[in-house]
Amino acid sequence: MGNGLTSNSFDWRTKGIPAGGAPITAGELAARQWRVTREDLMLPVALLRKSALLHNSDWMRRFTALTGVRLAPHGKTTMSPELFAMQMADGAWGMTAATPGHVRIYREFGLQRILLANQLVGRQAIAYVAGELARDAGFDFYCLVDSVRGVEILEAGLSRTPAGRPLQVLIELGYAGGRSGLRDDAEALQLARRIAASPLLSLRGIEAFEGIVQSRDEAETLVGGLLHRIRALGEAVLAEGLFEGRPILSAGGSSFFDLVAGDLSAPAFDVVLRSGCYLVHDSHFYRDLVERLIRRSPAAASLGEGLRPALEIWAHVLSRPEPTRLLAGLGKRDTSDDVRPPTPLGWCRPELGETVQPLHGHKVVRLDDQHAYLDIPADSPLQAGDMISFGISHPCTTFDKWRTIFIVDDDLTVIDAITTCF
Amino acid sequence: MGNGLTSNSFDWRTKGIPAGGAPITAGELAARQWRVTREDLMLPVALLRKSALLHNSDWMRRFTALTGVRLAPHGKTTMSPELFAMQMADGAWGMTAATPGHVRIYREFGLQRILLANQLVGRQAIAYVAGELARDAGFDFYCLVDSVRGVEILEAGLSRTPAGRPLQVLIELGYAGGRSGLRDDAEALQLARRIAASPLLSLRGIEAFEGIVQSRDEAETLVGGLLHRIRALGEAVLAEGLFEGRPILSAGGSSFFDLVAGDLSAPAFDVVLRSGCYLVHDSHFYRDLVERLIRRSPAAASLGEGLRPALEIWAHVLSRPEPTRLLAGLGKRDTSDDVRPPTPLGWCRPELGETVQPLHGHKVVRLDDQHAYLDIPADSPLQAGDMISFGISHPCTTFDKWRTIFIVDDDLTVIDAITTCF
């Protein structure tokens, strides 16, 4: 999964590289036939199953085709040029970015359409974006605005560093107690008028981020209300003729994109989803959320098998100091711990062969920087030197722990690698 | 702070690099006179105050000299070759590593004395260490053992991949409900006999990790009990003549190293502290723990000013969607959130000048991947585009979010940079 920008040469800096550690390119990996169950890799190591990546990417391609929406996946999940290339090849309309630094990285990855899902502030950030807009007529860039102050910052920055064309913005709506975005729709309409009157800006759409309500019981109701506000504001702004070009309505974390696709679709608008986690998925948190989504959404259910967890982390048992306490060699430096701790999936002991046996009743109860504490049954067979595979919860905060992740086939043999740029 | 191993050339991959983004070497940074308060950097950015680093490094040098102990700082905190070089130049005896992957990185950084503070398991890991021991007679390596199983794993590995000399091990003690290490001292003495009888191993000392009790009220009592066990076991093993060479007693997170230095010191032993956080320190968690340490320790108190927080993260205000809610552009990808969220320290608004005003009553209440949610007073002057400096809690889980951290003088002007290798 190489691209022209990363050298894709791996060495002692790469977690997982075997003992010899001589530099190796991605293209040379498959010939080595490294397999984790044969202890060919140094642990901990992160592995992405190619079949799951391909399945998930195709699943989302079919979902967006079926629902008639566009996809600008949130690239912050993986920050990986190889995975971005896969997403664009599978028909993504563009990529969503979280920070100006991400925008710069995406540009170096070769992306031409980027939606920055924040207000653009800061002298360096505005200068960078304006410079790119001026330099490359094919650069199609969007950012958010949620206040007159945000408009004034952009105008001041673009006066200092001209972009040569209007900067495309979407108005962000939000809700009380939530993240950014206007709480008041009348104020949002006023802001639309203000933007439309600015020669430096071009009003291209309305958006919100609904993702942070994901764990609440009343989530669907809250999301539905926010989507209704996006669409109503879009229609009001459209009625006043304040948009330039065909307007965009956008929302979409990774838990409610079915509602976004359903509630925002209307002939006058393009709908842009921004889900980021679908490609890698997980073994717990998003698994549950997407199972709920599929139960809710006939379109999603019609696609057959849902998303598959693509990422596993393998670690050694370091110690079993008590019959029911086990320490494994993975920690906060290796896996997400912000939503739920990792889930032990299976184990194997090299001297007994390569079969991965399922694990039941083993639970991660604490992570230190480099250690996982597991509560285990007293009759668990595990002992120091055994290997455990862990599923993760929350791909975003696992990916940023790895600069290289090996791609494996269904036999857990390394066939390729992807890089990240956090 | 360059060394021969890192190219120290920074470009668009480097968070904080200004808009132009042309590659720049560490040696060229000072001439640019980039200053965060002049908006010369893209935010978020992490800054290390050189004066604080030098002060802290010297403070620990004086503490270990005064108490007569050796220091093998836990390098996992920073994983930075430039900071390792500073610690070794200030008299560190060696460096502590958390994983075999870290050992390999340390070797590439040029380190000759490494204490791996875990059992060494896994075919690749043992093969790597054995290969290094065989290749370089000057490599002085130690690891831990806490079970017969751990001994057997090492013996099997060293039979497969001979090291050419005995592998030096320390027996790890632990306590019920804690991390690794033997809970039972009689069993530990049996293990010492087992190790002493092994031609492939050499018993060099006794150790424990006391750090995880740091937040408990009865912490000093628990730590004192563990240190007493280390020393008692050391004396029993010594009485039986099971050690090779002058034995080592070791412990030491970053919260109780005064107790370790006090309770383990005895004529027959070398004491090795393993504190890692002292160099960078923080603005909350370790600040409180080290203040407690200094109140407890006449030796530490005699050194004058205690440790200084060296690390700050600067981020822009992205939005203030409600009078008492503010969003800033830093998140779990930029700062630790595992102990306590970051602490807003000060702010400035470029158009009002470069003075950093202190912030009171502003509190981070939630972090998303790339956003901080602050509760702020309704009369706070902050608005989108302002810059906030944040102090951190827990250097380890902040450092791993950055591949490059700029070194600044007391004027917040960039004068150098360090790299990390996570």
Side-chain angles (χ1 to χ4, degrees), chain B residues 277-295:
Chain B
C277 293
Y278 74 89
L279 185 65
V280 175
H281 203 51
D282 70 22
S283 300
H284 208 149
F285 183 62
Y286 280 106
R287 181 198 63 186
D288 295 353
L289 288 165
V290 172
E291 280 176 4
R292 179 165 160 168
L293 182 154
I294 290 173
R295 282 196 300 275

Side-chain angles (χ1 to χ4, degrees), chain A residues 18-19 76 104 118-119 124 146 149 177 179 183 318-319 322 332-333 338 368-369 371 373 384 400, chain B residues 17-19 76 104 118-119 124 146 149 177 179 183 318-319 322 332-333 338 368-369 373 384 400:
Chain A
K76 63 135 176 147
R104 181 162 59 187
N118 270 312
Q119 290 204 107
Q124 297 297 330
D146 76 356
R149 170 73 184 163
R179 210 156 79 178
R183 275 55 172 152
L318 297 178
S319 176
E322 299 174 25
K332 298 174 193 169
R333 256 82 182 269
D338 54 333
D368 286 351
D369 294 348
H371 295 83
Y373 297 59
D400 58 20
Chain B
I17 283 280
K76 64 134 175 148
R104 181 163 59 186
N118 269 312
Q119 291 206 107
Q124 296 297 331
D146 77 356
R149 170 73 183 163
R179 210 155 80 178
R183 275 55 172 153
L318 297 178
S319 176
E322 300 174 24
K332 297 173 195 169
R333 256 83 182 268
D338 54 334
D368 285 351
D369 294 348
Y373 296 60
D400 59 20

Side-chain angles (χ1 to χ4, degrees), chain A residues 68-375:
Chain A
V69 301
R70 297 172 177 202
L71 181 65
H74 211 317
K76 63 135 176 147
T77 299
T78 69
M79 294 300 290
S80 168
E82 297 88 357
L83 296 180
F84 285 14
M86 172 187 274
Q87 291 171 304
M88 294 304 292
D90 269 335
W93 171 78
M95 295 293 293
T96 299
T99 73
H102 288 185
V103 174
R104 181 162 59 187
I105 290 168
Y106 290 18
R107 291 293 287 160
E108 297 285 341
F109 289 173
L111 290 174
Q112 286 291 71
R113 182 177 287 123
I114 301 171
L115 193 165
L116 172 65
N118 270 312
Q119 290 204 107
L120 174 64
V121 302
R123 185 164 73 90
Q124 297 297 330
I126 298 172
Y128 173 75
V129 169
E132 284 295 285
L133 288 168
R135 188 181 65 78
D136 180 357
F139 179 32
D140 192 22
F141 175 83
Y142 305 80
C143 66
L144 310 185
V145 173
D146 76 356
S147 59
V148 173
R149 170 73 184 163
V151 168
E152 291 170 351
I153 289 170
L154 287 177
E155 289 177 331
L158 294 168
S159 300
R160 241 181 353 240
T161 320
R165 50 189 164 122
L167 181 71
Q168 304 178 98
V169 302
L170 287 75
I171 290 179
E172 180 164 43
L173 293 181
Y175 54 90
R179 210 156 79 178
S180 307
L182 286 146
R183 275 55 172 152
D184 183 85
D185 298 344
E187 201 182 329
L189 187 57
Q190 290 283 4
L191 186 65
R193 295 175 187 135
R194 172 72 179 78
I195 294 166
S198 173
L200 297 172
L201 304 177
S202 147
L203 182 57
R204 294 302 320 283
I206 313 293
E207 81 85 50
F209 175 62
E210 86 299 343
I212 66 164
V213 302
Q214 60 202 4
S215 299
R216 299 192 199 168
D217 282 341
E218 72 283 19
E220 280 83 358
T221 308
L222 284 167
V223 170
L226 187 59
L227 295 172
H228 176 79
R229 287 177 54 209
I230 294 174
R231 187 156 160 186
L233 180 63
E235 283 163 359
V237 172
L238 187 63
E240 291 198 24
L242 302 173
F243 285 124
E244 294 197 29
R246 184 171 160 81
I248 293 165
L249 302 182
S250 176
S254 299
S255 321
F256 303 105
F257 51 82
D258 60 316
L259 301 178
V260 176
D263 291 3
L264 294 188
S265 290
F269 299 100
D270 287 336
V271 176
V272 175
L273 300 187
R274 303 199 307 275
S275 318
C277 293
Y278 73 90
L279 185 64
V280 175
H281 203 52
D282 70 22
S283 301
H284 207 149
F285 183 62
Y286 280 106
R287 181 198 64 187
D288 294 353
L289 288 165
V290 172
E291 280 177 4
R292 180 165 159 168
L293 183 153
I294 290 173
R295 283 196 300 273
R296 194 169 60 209
S297 163
S302 78
L303 300 176
E305 183 192 357
L307 300 174
R308 299 182 192 167
L311 186 62
E312 288 173 24
I313 299 174
W314 284 71
H316 273 115
V317 176
L318 297 178
S319 176
R320 187 176 175 180
E322 299 174 25
T324 59
R325 166 55 49 88
L326 181 147
L327 280 300
L330 90 165
K332 298 174 193 169
R333 256 82 182 269
D334 309 300
T335 176
S336 64
D337 187 35
D338 54 333
V339 180
R340 296 183 200 177
T343 307
L345 300 175
W347 73 285
C348 72
R349 180 176 303 159
E351 62 218 61
L352 301 181
E354 292 190 49
T355 308
V356 180
Q357 308 279 357
L359 268 182
H360 302 291
H362 294 61
K363 195 173 171 196
V364 176
V365 294
R366 170 184 170 137
L367 289 177
D368 286 351
D369 294 348
Q370 317 275 171
H371 295 83
Y373 297 59
L374 279 75
D375 280 349

